[in-house]
Amino acid sequence: MTLYTPSRCVLFLVAFLLCANSLCAQYSAITVSGSIKDNQTKGSLSFVNVILKNEKDSSFVAGTISNEEGRFELTKIKPGRYLLLFSFLGYIPKQHPLFVGNLSEFIDLGVEDLQADIQTLTEVVVTSKADEVKETLDRKTFSVENNITQSGGSVLQMMQNLPGITVQEGKVLLRGSDKVVVLIDGKQTALTGFGSQTSLDNIPVSAIDKIEIINNPSAKYDANGNAGIINIIFKKNNREGFNGKVGMMAGLGALWIKKENLPDIRPQFQNTPKLNPSLALNYRKNKINTFFQGDVLYTPTLNKNEFVVRTYDSGEVINQQTKRNRKTTISTLRTGMDWNINSHNSLSFSGLFSSEKILDNGDEPFFNQDLTERRRLWQFLEDELKTTVTATTAFQHKFREPGHIFNSGLNYTFHREDEKYFFTNIMPSFTGLDAFKLLSDEHVLDYTADYIRPLRYGRLEVGMKYRWREIPTNMQFFPGQNSPLDVNAGGKATYRENIPALYSTYVFENTNVELEAGLRVEYVGVNYLVDPNHNTYKSDGYNYIQPFPNVRLAYKFNDYNKISLFFNRRVDRPNEVDIRVFPKYDDAEIIKVGNPALAPQFTNTLEVGYKSGWNSGYLYAAAYHRTAQGTITRIASTVPGSTLIYSIMQNAGKSYMSGLEMVWSQKINERFSFNLNLNGYRNQINAFSVVNQYPQLNTFVAPTESLWSGNIKWNGILHLPNQFDFQVSAIYLAPDLIPQGSIGQRFALDMGLKKLMQNGKQELYINASDLLNTMQIKKTIKGMGFSYVSTDYYETQVIRFGYNYKF
C-alpha cells in the first residue's frame, strides 16, 4: 500500500528549511558571546573590556576581556534588557542595547567593530529580570524525588500523578490519547517502544532522575506520537571523585480482596511482597567520568481480576472472570563513560541491559447467566522473558563560539520477546492441553547528526536522522485435543522499516515576540513479509514522504505573562504488534489479531497557551484541538456461527479531540505548597465502516460516538519540622470514550512521608498508593452481535517502605 504524496514536498523542504518548531526549553542562565575587531583593519582586538550593566540602576552585572583571538564570553546571564559596553585604550568606547531572552541558552552577537580614537564614555543604564515561572508552555519537568507517594514503584505508577497523564490498562494517556512516544535520555529504545509506548511498568523509579512532558515537540524529534512525548531521564552524577547512592524498598500489595472469585478456581494473589534494591556509582577525575547503575524490582501482583457479563443478540448471557496472578522480576543495569578529549571535543559511551521475567498463572471460568452451569474453565501459565540491550555513542564538537555545536550519535538496540503459553481447556465433555510459543527479535540502528548555531536574537538548528529497523517473529502452535488454536495462522513474519529524515528549527526572540518554527521531512518505507502459508493475510506495507511543520508564535505582555499559539502535524505509524498476523490467545473467547494492511494515522494539532507567574506560584492554561485521519483503533466483532469475539486493529476514519488544560501551582507559605491540574476534553469518532479479514470476511459498521471527559489531580506537600515532608495526591478520572464503548469514572488517594537525615545524605520514606482501595476499571462495550460490561478489580493498593543513602 502506498500513500500518495506530491514530490513537491522535497522542494518544500529546501525552500522552507529555515523554519522549525519550538525547541521545547526555556533557560535562566544564558551565555552571550561575540568577537571584537578594528573597523578599518578588520584585525582582532585582544584584552578589550566588555561590561554588562542593568538598564535602570546602572548596576554591574558581568564583565570580561576579549582573548587573543578577540573573542569574549559572558556567562550565567539572566533573561532581561541590558546595555553592552566595550572600551579599549586608543578606541572610541561603544555601547548598544542588548535583549537576552530565555529560548536560547547561547547568544552569538557576531562581530563588534571598534573605531580607533579616544573619547569619554557616557554612563548608561540596563535592566534584567528573570522569569520566575519554571514551566514552559510546551514542556513540563518533574523531579522523581519530589513524588514521595510513588517512591519505590515503577515509572508507570509514578506517572499517574503527573499533570495531563492518565494510566489505563498498563498504558499512559496524555490528554486522553495513548499515542504517546516515550524516550529514554532523549532517545527511542526498545525498552519503551519505537511507536507508541510499551513496558513502562518495567522501569524502576529508583533509576530515574526526572520526567519531561512535551506536548508540542520540535522538528528535532521523530514525527510520531500525536499526543506528545514523555522523556524519561536516568540518574547521572558528575561530582568530582567517587560517589554514589544505595537504596532498598520493601512493600506489600493486595491487602484485601476487592471481589471474591467465581466458583472453583485457584485463589487470587493477596499480600503480595515488593522488593527494590538499587545501587548507583560514579567516579570522575580529570577528563574522564564513569558511572554505573543497577536496579532490581521484584513485584508479584494481582495483575488482572476482571469480571465480565456478555450478552449476545441471541439472548445468550455469559458470566466470565479473568484472574491473572503475576510474578515479575526486572533487572536494569546501566553503565558508561564520558571523555572530555579537550576543550572542543568530547566523546561518550553508554550501555543499558534490561531483563524482565514474567510468570502469569491465570484462570478464566465461563458460566451461564445465573452461575448454575460452568461452560468452560481456561487455566493458563504464561512464561515470558523480555531482554533489552542498548549501546550508544555520542560525539560533540564545540566551535570557538559558545553554543556553536555539532553533535553526532549512533544508537543500537536489541530487544527479544520470548513467550511460552500453556493452557488447559476444560470443557464439559473433554480436557485439552494446548500451547504456543512466540519468539520476536527486534534490531534497531539510529544515526543522528545535529548542528546548532547561536544567533543574535535566537538560534538555528539543522540535522538529519536515519533509522533501520528489523523484527523477525516466529509463532509456533502446539494443539491439544479439540484445540481452539488456529494452527494455520502461525509461522514466520518479518517487519522491516527504513526512515531517513531531515529537519531544521529556527528561534527568534525580542522584547515582546517569540517565534519558534520548524520543519521535518521524513521518508518512511515499511515492508511486512508474511509466511506464504498463512491462511488469511498476505505480505503488505506502505511508504510515504511527508512534511511535518511545527510553529509557535508568542507575545509577551511583560516578564510574567505570555500567550502562545501552536501548530504541529504529526503521525502515528502502526506498531509491529498492531500489524502482527498471529492470533493471541491470552483470553479464551476474545482473540486479538493484528492487521498488515494498517495505515499510518496523521494528526493536526492547534493549541493556544497562556501562562502567568508571580513570586509564589504560576498558572498555566491551554486550549487544544486535534484532528486525526485514519484513526488507529481495535474493532471487536463476531462471525456467523460463533460466539468468539475477534479484536482486530483497523483504521476507523476521522476522529477529533478538543480540550482545556490548567495547572495551578501555589506556595502558601514556607511549610505548604500545592499544585492543581484540571484537564477536560471531548472525544469524537465519526461513523465508519471497515472490513475484517480474520477469521473470515465480515463488515463492521459503527455510528458516530462522542463523549466529554477529563480528570482532576491535586498534589499537596507539607514541610514538617525536623526535615519531614508529607505529600497527599488525589486523582479523579471522569468517564471516557474508548473504542466501541466507554470507561467509567475512577478515583484514587495516595499518601507519602519522607524523612531526610545528615543534610540529605540519608532518606527514609513510607507511602501508600490507592489508600482507600477505590481504583477499579468499569467498561461498557457494544460490538457487532454482542455487548458486555466488565469491571477489573486488579491490585492498586500498595504500601512501601524505603531507605536511601548517598555517599
Side-chain angles (χ1 to χ4, degrees):
M1 176 178 56
T2 300
L3 300 180
Y4 172 75
T5 303
S7 60
R8 287 176 298 178
C9 66
V10 179
L11 298 176
F12 181 61
L13 168 65
V14 177
F16 203 62
L17 192 61
L18 295 183
C19 292
N21 174 47
S22 163
L23 295 183
C24 301
Q26 292 188 349
Y27 303 95
S28 58
I30 317 300
T31 296
V32 178
S33 65
S35 62
I36 307 172
K37 295 185 177 182
D38 185 294
N39 72 335
Q40 296 296 323
T41 67
K42 302 302 179 183
S44 299
L45 297 178
S46 306
F47 310 113
V48 176
N49 292 308
V50 183
I51 296 176
L52 196 65
K53 290 189 176 183
N54 282 322
E55 186 178 67
K56 288 185 178 180
D57 56 10
S58 298
S59 61
F60 177 83
V61 175
T64 186
I65 60 173
S66 59
N67 62 17
E68 293 180 355
E69 297 176 339
R71 296 206 57 82
F72 68 90
E73 180 179 330
L74 299 168
T75 61
K76 298 182 180 179
I77 307 303
K78 295 181 178 180
R81 298 176 182 87
Y82 300 89
L83 276 181
L84 193 58
L85 293 82
F86 303 91
S87 62
F88 188 49
L89 184 64
Y91 285 82
I92 299 174
K94 181 180 179 180
Q95 67 178 44
H96 63 72
L98 175 65
F99 170 75
V100 176
N102 56 14
L103 296 184
S104 296
E105 189 177 3
F106 299 92
I107 294 176
D108 187 357
L109 300 178
V111 176
E112 299 282 353
D113 291 326
L114 293 186
Q115 182 177 345
D117 202 346
I118 300 177
Q119 292 187 11
T120 304
L121 178 65
T122 304
E123 193 171 5
V124 291
V125 191
V126 192
T127 187
S128 171
K129 187 155 191 168
D131 186 355
E132 299 294 335
V133 182
K134 300 302 180 185
E135 268 65 24
T136 71
L137 288 179
D138 42 23
R139 171 182 303 214
K140 298 181 285 291
T141 302
F142 303 93
S143 171
V144 170
E145 290 186 357
N146 295 333
N147 197 324
I148 307 171
T149 60
Q150 293 296 336
S151 295
S154 71
V155 169
L156 183 69
Q157 294 163 338
M158 183 265 185
M159 283 185 178
Q160 65 186 355
N161 289 339
L162 300 184
I165 288 181
T166 55
V167 176
Q168 184 174 301
E169 296 186 321
K171 300 197 75 174
V172 166
L173 279 68
L174 185 56
R175 290 179 171 176
S177 172
D178 66 350
K179 301 298 187 289
V180 180
V181 172
V182 180
L183 308 179
I184 292 181
D185 291 332
K187 302 177 181 65
Q188 286 185 284
T189 73
L191 191 63
T192 54
F194 284 89
S196 296
Q197 27 121 4
T198 59
S199 302
L200 286 176
D201 218 15
N202 66 5
I203 304 177
V205 167
S206 56
I208 304 305
D209 178 33
K210 56 187 175 182
I211 294 177
E212 296 176 333
I213 300 175
I214 308 171
N215 294 116
N216 294 277
S218 77
K220 179 178 180 179
Y221 296 100
D222 287 346
N224 54 314
N226 74 65
I229 290 174
I230 296 175
N231 187 23
I232 299 171
I233 301 174
F234 272 75
K235 291 178 179 176
K236 189 175 179 181
N237 200 337
N238 287 314
R239 284 193 296 143
E240 192 71 25
F242 179 73
N243 51 81
K245 180 178 179 181
V246 61
M248 182 66 187
M249 182 279 297
L252 204 62
L255 302 182
W256 63 70
I257 294 176
K258 291 184 180 181
K259 186 174 176 65
E260 295 287 348
N261 288 335
L262 293 181
D264 302 325
I265 66 171
R266 293 171 292 184
Q268 53 185 269
F269 267 175
Q270 194 174 2
N271 297 320
T272 54
K274 322 288 181 186
L275 292 172
N276 176 210
S278 63
L279 174 67
L281 301 173
N282 195 86
Y283 180 71
R284 181 180 180 184
K285 186 175 182 180
N286 299 326
K287 296 181 178 182
I288 301 294
N289 181 63
T290 58
F291 58 90
F292 168 83
Q293 188 172 323
D295 295 84
V296 177
L297 181 60
Y298 173 69
T299 171
T301 308
L302 180 58
N303 179 260
K304 192 178 187 69
N305 192 27
E306 185 178 33
F307 292 78
V308 180
V309 178
R310 269 187 285 147
T311 303
Y312 293 89
D313 291 353
S314 63
E316 183 180 7
V317 177
I318 294 178
N319 279 283
Q320 170 190 347
Q321 179 187 359
T322 302
K323 183 217 68 188
R324 189 159 58 214
N325 292 332
R326 171 171 290 185
K327 292 183 179 180
T328 306
T329 304
I330 304 156
S331 302
T332 304
L333 303 176
R334 183 171 174 267
T335 187
M337 179 185 72
D338 301 321
W339 177 27
N340 293 316
I341 303 171
N342 51 45
S343 60
H344 292 286
N345 299 285
S346 62
L347 191 64
S348 66
F349 306 91
S350 65
L352 182 146
F353 172 83
S354 175
S355 174
E356 181 182 14
K357 178 67 172 179
I358 300 174
L359 288 173
D360 280 346
N361 278 284
D363 298 79
E364 272 194 337
F366 300 83
F367 286 85
N368 62 353
Q369 184 172 5
D370 59 5
L371 301 178
T372 58
E373 178 188 355
R374 192 179 75 188
R375 305 283 183 87
R376 180 205 297 260
L377 176 59
W378 180 284
Q379 294 184 318
F380 60 87
L381 167 64
E382 182 177 8
D383 183 349
E384 185 173 10
L385 178 63
K386 296 180 181 180
T387 305
T388 303
V389 178
T390 298
T392 301
T393 180
F395 170 77
Q396 183 178 84
H397 173 72
K398 297 180 180 179
F399 296 88
R400 291 183 304 169
E401 305 85 358
H404 189 187
I405 295 171
F406 172 76
N407 293 309
S408 179
L410 190 66
N411 184 61
Y412 171 75
T413 292
F414 169 78
H415 178 76
R416 166 165 288 182
E417 180 183 353
D418 187 353
E419 179 182 2
K420 304 177 184 69
Y421 196 98
F422 309 90
F423 62 88
T424 304
N425 185 22
I426 304 172
M427 302 293 287
S429 58
F430 71 89
T431 297
L433 300 176
D434 298 76
F436 64 81
K437 178 180 179 180
L438 173 68
L439 183 65
S440 172
D441 287 344
E442 182 171 12
H443 305 268
V444 187
L445 186 67
D446 282 340
Y447 172 74
T448 59
D450 186 60
Y451 173 80
I452 304 171
R453 177 63 189 261
L455 305 173
R456 189 182 190 95
Y457 296 105
R459 66 185 180 277
L460 173 69
E461 181 172 1
V462 295
M464 62 82 66
K465 181 175 182 178
Y466 175 74
R467 169 172 293 162
W468 169 82
R469 187 174 174 219
E470 183 171 288
I471 311 173
T473 55
N474 187 4
M475 172 68 87
Q476 301 177 51
F477 291 119
F478 305 95
Q481 182 183 3
N482 298 321
S483 176
L485 296 175
D486 185 356
V487 294
N488 295 318
K492 296 181 180 180
T494 301
Y495 176 94
R496 291 174 179 164
E497 175 184 280
N498 284 281
I499 307 178
L502 297 173
Y503 63 88
S504 178
T505 59
Y506 172 72
V507 176
F508 170 82
E509 182 180 18
N510 64 21
T511 307
N512 296 109
V513 176
E514 296 175 359
L515 172 64
E516 303 179 0
L519 179 69
R520 184 182 188 92
V521 173
E522 291 185 343
Y523 168 80
V524 174
V526 171
N527 292 301
Y528 189 64
L529 307 178
V530 179
D531 191 318
N533 297 317
H534 195 280
N535 58 11
T536 303
Y537 291 119
K538 305 300 180 186
S539 299
D540 213 324
Y542 60 87
N543 61 78
Y544 64 78
I545 298 176
Q546 289 279 347
F548 298 96
N550 311 76
V551 177
R552 179 171 81 90
L553 180 64
Y555 181 80
K556 296 180 285 186
F557 299 99
N558 51 46
D559 290 333
Y560 294 103
N561 294 276
K562 177 165 60 177
I563 187 169
S564 291
L565 177 66
F566 299 87
F567 171 78
N568 67 52
R569 183 174 188 262
R570 299 185 68 77
V571 62
D572 285 285
R573 299 184 289 268
N575 293 324
E576 184 271 334
V577 294
D578 294 338
I579 65 177
R580 192 176 285 178
V581 295
F582 314 123
K584 188 173 178 60
Y585 295 92
D586 55 357
D587 188 298
E589 299 191 0
I590 301 179
I591 313 300
K592 294 181 180 179
V593 189
N595 178 6
L598 206 60
Q601 169 185 317
F602 293 92
T603 304
N604 293 326
T605 301
L606 187 66
E607 179 173 336
V608 177
Y610 172 80
K611 79 172 179 184
S612 179
W614 50 92
N615 290 333
S616 58
Y618 67 88
L619 177 69
Y620 161 92
Y624 54 91
H625 177 75
R626 288 200 294 259
T627 303
Q629 296 279 359
T631 305
I632 296 175
T633 187
R634 279 198 175 273
I635 303 299
S637 62
T638 59
V639 297
S642 173
T643 59
L644 295 180
I645 297 171
Y646 294 92
S647 180
I648 302 174
M649 299 300 298
Q650 288 283 8
N651 292 105
K654 185 174 287 189
S655 63
Y656 307 90
M657 174 180 284
S658 301
L660 297 170
E661 183 180 23
M662 186 197 77
V663 178
W664 175 26
S665 180
Q666 184 67 53
K667 179 180 178 181
I668 303 299
N669 51 42
E670 294 300 321
R671 292 290 186 187
F672 181 68
S673 61
F674 71 87
N675 65 73
L676 175 67
N677 172 225
L678 304 176
N679 189 29
Y681 51 87
R682 180 179 181 269
N683 268 326
Q684 177 176 317
I685 301 177
N686 284 0
F688 66 92
S689 174
V690 296
V691 176
N692 293 325
Q693 293 189 13
Y694 189 86
Q696 63 189 57
L697 288 176
N698 64 94
T699 301
F700 179 85
V701 179
T704 297
E705 293 184 274
S706 64
L707 182 71
W708 278 97
S709 185
N711 52 76
I712 303 173
K713 297 184 180 181
W714 184 87
N715 285 281
I717 296 182
L718 182 63
H719 301 290
L720 301 171
N722 300 318
Q723 290 191 295
F724 278 98
D725 289 334
F726 177 68
Q727 182 181 11
V728 178
S729 300
I731 304 172
Y732 171 77
L733 309 177
D736 202 355
L737 188 68
I738 59 175
Q740 297 178 255
S742 61
I743 186 170
Q745 63 181 0
R746 289 145 287 163
F747 171 77
L749 182 69
D750 302 339
M751 291 187 180
L753 180 66
K754 179 172 69 175
K755 163 68 174 175
L756 296 178
M757 299 168 288
Q758 288 187 304
N759 295 320
K761 286 188 175 182
Q762 297 187 67
E763 174 187 283
L764 282 170
Y765 64 85
I766 178 173
N767 58 43
S769 60
D770 194 16
L771 186 66
L772 304 179
N773 216 17
T774 53
M775 181 64 76
Q776 55 189 251
I777 297 177
K778 184 173 183 179
K779 294 185 292 186
T780 302
I781 300 294
K782 176 62 179 176
M784 189 171 66
F786 72 96
S787 64
Y788 70 78
V789 177
S790 71
T791 305
D792 193 350
Y793 300 92
Y794 67 109
E795 177 186 316
T796 57
Q797 187 183 65
V798 180
I799 295 177
R800 303 182 186 91
F801 304 84
Y803 171 78
N804 294 313
Y805 176 71
K806 296 178 183 179
F807 55 90

